[in-house]
Amino acid sequence: MSRTSLIGFVLGTLVLSLSACVQVSGPASQEVSQPVRTVQTLSDGWKFQFANLNNPPLEDNLDTHDWETVSVPHTWNRVGYYTNDLVPHINTADNVDKRMGQGWYSLEFTGPDGTEPVRHWLEFDAVSRTAEVWLNGHRLGEHRGPFTRFRFDVTDYIKLGETNRLVVMADNSKPEPGSPTADVLPIAGDFFVHGGIYRPVRLVSTNDVHIALNDHGGPGVYASTTELREEAADVSVRTLVSNDENEARPISLRVSLIDADGNTVATQLLDPSLLDAHQTAEFATVLTVPTPRLWQGTADPYLYTLRAEVTDPAGRQLDLLDQPFGIRQITIDPEMGLFLNGKQTPLHGVAYHQDREGKGWAVSLEDVAGDLDIMKEMGTNTIRLAHYPHGQPIHNLADKNGIILWDEIPLVSLWDFGADETETNLALKANAKLQLQELIHQNFNHPSVAVWGIANEVDFGSLLPAFIGDKSGRIPDPMPLLRDLAEIAAEEDPFRDSVLANCCDAVETMSDDKTPPVANVTDAYGVNRYYGWYYGDASQFGSQLDTLHAMRPDKPLSISEYGAGGAISLQTDDPTGGPPDSRGHNQPEGYFNLIHEKAWADISARPYIWASWVWNGFDFATTIRKEGDARDINTKGLVTYDRQVKKDAYYFYKANWSGTPTVYLVGRRYGDRAYAVTDVKVYSNAPETKLIVNGVSMGPADSCIQSVCIWPQVRLAAGDNTLVAKGHFKDEEVSDEVTWSLAANLETSYNIDAGTLLAAHDDEKTFGSDTFFDGGTAESADEAGTWGKPAVTPDITGARNRLLDATYRSGDFTYELPLPQGKYKVTLIFMEPDLAPDERTFDVISNGQPVLRNFDIASAAGGPLREVQRTFSASVEDGPLSLQFQPVTGDAIVSAIMVSPE
């Protein structure tokens, strides 16, 4: 069925249609003095205890006198901490709290005074993972899902004008067969599921006749822009109205759109209609808006007010609901990308997790607004709300700021426990469908929401990583569930595309014939790709995108994740000097920068990419990582978990995306330098950018491709060095300044730890990481650990520094060391990793003069994994000191180079 036919089908099958519709314009009708809907926020005075309570929480047997007093939003968890001391940290190894289980909450509050409104609902924006709720000893029910809003009608149980006791049991137990959360997604994922009532709670009071509050936590009014013409726009509106009285009631319904100045630009009125007792009926109408002002993303995020008003035949207002609404249409083309209201709109932004240091998931509106400000400053125009439904604050802020959103459910990597049709597995699939319905209903009216995401990385197939937890050996098939979810998305909202994010499609090191083609299921899709990090080389990213585009030329392709880990306290002299450890310590910020520079060059050159999202906007909590300078934190964020540090790459994107004059000196946290000569990099979008070092101009950069300006081989002096970058814009000059220090003994010395991004610490000398090389590859005698597998670090006999010896450069390569004229002592450190005598020989040539011939490390050292050193003198007269390593048999290698004046 075509999209146009589907729209007609949906509108044609609505329960009731409006008649006698009138289009009017002018001032909006005035509010009645007596509110027909009231909201009481229940935030303070809660009592909390983390415990498994044996007795049901009846009114007369729950003693909370020794419970902790808390405010909602609240979580009992505190997860993830940094090991660096660059800034003060909230989380530490001593105060983290990763408990999973039952958290009990109790609140005493005074009920409404008994005047109208007369119907009362408890509304929870989210409780994780599951919630069971009692009011005055009566069990109201439960909700199974950590991210979405739910409500209970408490009219029959609330005490009007008296003290009420509300009890909530939140359970974030680890999902596994037999656990109380076994049937609730997510059951896997690289993020921590915090427990608690971590979003707001309210008491909502209405009349007995009201706009429905029992529709999957949704507002009860749902609008879509169904047609845009040059002179007008059509907005289709569905309204659910409930009658909770014991007899039928005649009602009228008026639906209107009101502009930002308070003028009603379109309205339609239903003649009185009889609504049966205890019935919820659906009404449909189309509002035609003349010369509409469109919601045009960040360029003009214009919002109307969508108003639904229910009255009785006498005109007395029974319910009124206002919601922001933007008139807009989004289409996604497989060749030219996303179009917003017919205008091509390339999307670039970040993925976003909802936690932050010290608060976990219990963040405030101000926290979310601060996060959005940080992302906006960078030039973000889209956010992927990963990997679960996020709250209303980020949606409302995205509406107001023109940020386009990808929403998704928490179907992450796994959707069952290893057997095909157990009761738990069937319940998990049902839970996925329920969470999708809740996601769509609760966020339907947000113009910022572009697509509905139904899954993330469910295509591992037989390559499922060990950390995810399915060790059954079974290869699960996600396709039946995905087809069901895509069908639900199309039925619930025919005006938005369904999407998913895959991990493995056509990835050379991962894809095989058992990797399911999940991208075929949805209208469009995204790919999570980590070339240069978990696999492959960063240079392969562009060709991977072209391969995927050629595989499905009619399917719109986006990049739902890309990036690397970046530790702000770990710095490298050359990001190409060695391999990172994607699951371990060696994750310097400089390599993080390089991955983003290369990735954005590939993305921006391909107009068929309809959107791209950096993984991630902010560092976030997980419990499967011990990497870089953090524990239980995924450090792929452009900003730290505490929001205190914007990493270098943040400014790379700001220079490329924002249009704001930006000049930023890269490597500012590498203050104590290992080498006297270094390249200086500046992210600048200025027409001309100059560098000044210690008051001396280095001149303008030759070119600044992708806003990356580089001054090669800048010499530093002993002591503190002041570097100033100045960008000359049309109406202003923008500058940035850093101070780098160099120890006096390093001004004419080089101590190079070959084959590594991070130099080994040495008690006697300051070593820098591998740089000044041409050719060869970086290798190590150590085998890096993976999830569930420790690193293998063999002993090296005679090593003055085992870490220094373990890494090495291999192949046919040369070092060019920029030294002033003079005589120098050169010491080379070697270690044979695995070959026997006579299996590896090579020459070492210093400035054209052979200093080692047919050198055989294994023979000289007496076997592999033994250190051996060789020292010689070298003279520098005109140009650098050149050290050539030329293979004779096998590859040449060197572990470290030490050069100092004689």
Side-chain angles (χ1 to χ4, degrees):
M1 183 180 293
S2 70
R3 180 56 58 92
T4 302
S5 299
L6 183 57
I7 293 170
F9 174 80
V10 171
L11 294 177
T13 55
L14 296 174
V15 179
L16 295 175
S17 61
L18 292 171
S19 60
C21 297
V22 180
Q23 296 284 342
V24 300
S25 61
S29 60
Q30 293 184 348
E31 297 279 355
V32 294
S33 58
Q34 174 67 36
V36 292
R37 181 181 287 214
T38 63
V39 178
Q40 178 182 354
T41 301
L42 305 177
S43 57
D44 297 327
W46 290 81
K47 294 289 189 176
F48 168 75
Q49 183 182 55
F50 184 85
N52 292 319
L53 299 184
N54 296 320
N55 298 318
L58 299 179
E59 198 172 3
D60 58 355
N61 70 357
L62 190 63
D63 182 4
T64 64
H65 77 276
D66 60 348
W67 290 20
E68 178 185 359
T69 300
V70 301
S71 295
V72 166
H74 174 264
T75 177
W76 60 82
N77 294 122
R78 183 192 291 264
V79 180
Y81 64 95
Y82 293 107
T83 59
N84 68 60
D85 59 0
L86 294 184
V87 296
H89 299 297
I90 302 170
N91 289 6
T92 67
D94 296 328
N95 67 15
V96 296
D97 185 347
K98 296 188 281 188
R99 290 177 296 174
M100 304 179 81
Q102 293 182 1
W104 288 86
Y105 294 84
S106 176
L107 175 70
E108 292 186 351
F109 69 96
T110 301
D113 60 11
T115 61
E116 291 187 351
V118 297
R119 194 136 212 103
H120 311 286
W121 302 75
L122 277 171
E123 178 177 81
F124 296 82
D125 276 0
V127 179
S128 176
R129 294 181 179 248
T130 62
E132 194 167 0
V133 184
W134 293 260
L135 181 64
N136 298 324
H138 299 277
R139 185 181 184 274
L140 302 176
E142 65 177 359
H143 182 259
R144 306 188 70 75
F147 307 106
T148 42
R149 178 189 293 132
F150 58 97
R151 304 183 180 107
F152 295 112
D153 185 344
V154 298
T155 305
D156 294 339
Y157 310 112
I158 196 166
K159 298 176 182 179
L160 300 178
E162 300 180 30
T163 299
N164 294 263
R165 171 169 279 183
L166 171 62
V167 175
V168 180
M169 188 272 284
D171 191 342
N172 74 330
S173 299
K174 182 180 179 180
E176 52 192 8
S179 76
T181 62
D183 59 349
V184 179
L185 292 174
I187 61 173
D190 184 9
F191 57 95
F192 183 79
V193 176
H194 294 69
I197 308 176
Y198 71 91
R199 290 183 190 158
V201 182
R202 306 172 197 88
L203 181 68
V204 180
S205 300
T206 69
N207 286 306
D208 279 331
V209 175
H210 55 87
I211 295 167
L213 289 165
N214 59 353
D215 186 40
H216 295 297
V221 181
Y222 306 96
S224 300
T225 305
T226 52
E227 186 175 351
L228 282 181
R229 302 181 298 280
E230 186 173 345
E231 71 284 358
D234 289 343
V235 177
S236 298
V237 184
R238 296 182 297 118
T239 305
L240 304 180
V241 182
S242 296
N243 176 16
D244 287 320
E245 290 190 355
N246 292 324
E247 59 184 31
R249 287 287 303 271
I251 66 160
S252 292
L253 174 67
R254 182 185 294 274
V255 180
S256 308
L257 274 174
I258 303 163
D259 68 17
D261 295 324
N263 299 309
T264 300
V265 298
T267 189
Q268 291 196 349
L269 175 66
L270 171 68
D271 281 342
S273 177
L274 195 65
L275 189 61
D276 289 341
H278 303 292
Q279 177 193 9
T280 296
E282 184 175 292
F283 301 85
T285 185
V286 176
L287 298 175
T288 298
V289 183
T291 58
R293 183 170 172 181
L294 303 182
W295 189 88
Q296 197 61 50
T298 56
D300 186 14
Y302 188 82
L303 293 172
Y304 292 85
T305 296
L306 173 66
R307 172 169 294 173
E309 182 181 13
V310 183
T311 59
D312 65 13
R316 187 175 74 95
Q317 195 178 79
L318 300 175
D319 201 4
L320 177 74
L321 182 66
D322 284 350
Q323 293 182 92
F325 182 77
I327 298 175
R328 65 104 180 107
Q329 285 190 326
I330 288 175
T331 58
I332 307 176
D333 182 83
E335 287 294 335
M336 298 304 295
L338 185 138
F339 288 78
L340 176 59
N341 303 321
K343 181 178 180 180
Q344 189 176 22
T345 307
L347 297 183
H348 45 257
V350 299
Y352 179 50
H353 270 291
Q354 65 185 0
D355 60 332
R356 67 164 55 199
E357 185 182 26
K359 292 189 173 184
W361 283 358
V363 295
S364 66
L365 172 61
E366 292 74 20
D367 292 330
V368 178
D371 286 351
L372 188 68
D373 286 343
I374 291 171
M375 292 183 272
K376 281 175 53 187
E377 179 192 341
M378 188 174 60
T380 290
N381 66 1
T382 182
I383 299 173
R384 180 187 176 198
L385 298 180
H387 281 310
Y388 39 76
H390 287 233
Q392 290 306 300
I394 187 62
H395 288 86
N396 293 333
L397 289 165
D399 292 344
K400 293 178 182 178
N401 289 277
I403 305 297
I404 293 178
L405 302 177
W406 162 318
D407 271 11
E408 66 186 57
I409 62 171
L411 178 54
V412 183
S413 303
L414 279 183
W415 56 97
D416 63 35
F417 287 107
D420 290 327
E421 295 296 336
T422 65
E423 182 178 345
T424 298
N425 287 346
L426 291 174
L428 276 167
K429 293 175 176 63
N431 187 255
K433 298 171 186 178
L434 174 63
Q435 291 201 49
L436 180 59
Q437 288 177 303
E438 291 176 332
L439 172 75
I440 294 173
H441 284 238
Q442 293 174 28
N443 298 296
F444 194 95
N445 293 328
H446 291 291
S448 55
V449 177
V451 292
W452 302 120
I454 65 171
N456 178 77
E457 293 188 354
V458 295
D459 59 322
F460 278 109
S462 61
L463 304 167
L464 193 69
F467 80 88
I468 291 177
D470 185 350
K471 300 176 176 64
S472 66
R474 184 178 63 94
I475 302 173
D477 182 7
M479 301 298 279
L481 176 58
L482 294 180
R483 293 189 186 100
D484 288 347
L485 293 171
E487 183 177 343
I488 289 171
E491 290 174 351
E492 294 284 359
D493 185 1
F495 308 107
R496 288 182 176 94
D497 284 342
S498 62
V499 293
L500 55 70
N502 76 37
C503 66
C504 307
D505 201 5
V507 175
E508 299 84 346
T509 58
M510 301 175 71
S511 186
D512 65 9
D513 59 357
K514 295 177 182 178
T515 300
V518 296
N520 295 336
V521 175
T522 50
D523 300 313
Y525 74 112
V527 294
N528 301 345
R529 294 298 184 269
Y530 290 96
Y531 283 94
W533 190 244
Y534 292 126
Y535 45 77
D537 184 85
S539 63
Q540 297 174 271
F541 189 38
S543 61
Q544 161 77 176
L545 299 176
D546 293 338
T547 296
L548 292 168
H549 181 51
M551 285 173 58
R552 299 182 184 90
D554 298 326
K555 183 82 67 173
L557 169 66
S558 67
I559 303 163
S560 38
E561 293 182 21
Y562 70 98
I568 61 171
S569 65
L570 303 179
Q571 301 296 329
T572 184
D573 296 284
D574 187 339
T576 68
D581 186 351
S582 63
R583 298 174 179 87
H585 177 68
N586 287 9
Q587 301 185 358
E589 189 175 9
Y591 189 83
F592 177 82
N593 300 339
L594 184 65
I595 286 291
H596 285 287
E597 292 168 16
K598 288 180 174 292
W600 180 243
D602 287 330
I603 294 167
S604 59
R606 289 165 170 80
Y608 62 77
I609 299 295
W610 62 269
S612 61
W613 292 273
V614 173
W615 189 262
N616 198 280
F618 303 89
D619 291 351
F620 59 92
T622 180
T623 53
I624 63 171
R625 294 179 179 272
K626 185 178 178 181
E627 303 172 355
D629 59 1
R631 301 296 178 265
D632 293 332
I633 292 177
N634 188 316
T635 60
K636 294 186 183 72
L638 295 170
V639 181
T640 54
Y641 193 25
D642 52 17
R643 279 56 172 174
Q644 292 193 63
V645 177
K646 297 170 182 174
K647 302 179 188 180
D648 287 348
Y650 174 94
Y651 293 93
F652 166 73
Y653 287 112
K654 183 178 179 180
N656 280 281
W657 291 353
S658 71
T660 301
T662 301
V663 177
Y664 178 84
L665 271 156
V666 179
R668 64 203 314 105
R669 279 169 286 279
Y670 185 8
D672 293 325
R673 291 275 159 165
Y675 300 123
V677 174
T678 183
D679 292 351
V680 176
K681 182 187 293 186
V682 173
Y683 295 144
S684 172
N685 53 16
E688 181 181 77
T689 306
K690 295 181 179 179
L691 177 68
I692 301 166
V693 179
N694 297 326
V696 179
S697 176
M698 302 289 107
D702 291 339
S703 64
C704 297
I705 300 172
Q706 302 276 174
S707 298
V708 180
C709 311
I710 297 177
W711 287 262
Q713 297 209 343
V714 173
R715 183 169 290 278
L716 305 177
D720 290 342
N721 294 262
T722 301
L723 288 78
V724 179
K726 293 184 176 182
H728 300 277
F729 297 87
K730 181 179 179 181
D731 298 319
E732 62 179 321
E733 180 182 87
V734 176
S735 64
D736 190 28
E737 180 177 322
V738 299
T739 299
W740 292 344
S741 298
L742 184 74
N745 65 315
L746 297 177
E747 197 168 19
T748 54
S749 297
Y750 287 89
N751 303 306
I752 301 173
D753 186 354
T756 184
L757 287 174
L758 294 174
H761 171 76
D762 190 85
D763 291 336
E764 298 178 11
K765 296 180 180 295
T766 298
F767 279 84
S769 63
D770 204 357
T771 189
F772 303 114
F773 58 82
D774 181 21
T777 58
E779 299 185 35
S780 177
D782 297 344
E783 180 182 335
T786 59
W787 285 304
K789 180 181 178 182
V792 177
T793 56
D795 291 335
I796 299 174
T797 302
R800 62 185 292 275
N801 185 324
R802 203 207 73 84
L803 289 176
L804 194 70
D805 287 25
T807 61
Y808 54 93
R809 181 153 295 277
S810 173
D812 185 346
F813 54 92
T814 301
Y815 282 85
E816 299 279 344
L817 305 183
L819 286 162
Q821 184 177 4
K823 293 185 177 181
Y824 295 89
K825 173 185 175 183
V826 180
T827 298
L828 305 179
I829 298 178
F830 302 98
M831 180 275 309
E832 173 56 58
D834 50 18
L835 297 183
D838 299 327
E839 292 183 340
R840 183 198 310 274
T841 60
F842 55 91
D843 297 338
V844 178
I845 299 171
S846 172
N847 278 354
Q849 300 298 316
V851 291
L852 293 175
R853 285 289 197 185
N854 292 310
F855 186 60
D856 185 337
I857 303 172
S859 294
L865 297 175
R866 297 170 181 267
E867 179 187 295
V868 63
Q869 296 188 15
R870 291 293 183 267
T871 300
F872 55 89
S873 296
S875 296
V876 174
E877 296 181 359
D878 183 19
L881 171 61
S882 174
L883 299 173
Q884 295 175 272
F885 296 79
Q886 297 181 342
V888 177
T889 303
D891 290 327
I893 61 173
V894 67
S895 288
I897 301 171
M898 297 180 289
V899 180
S900 59
E902 283 191 337

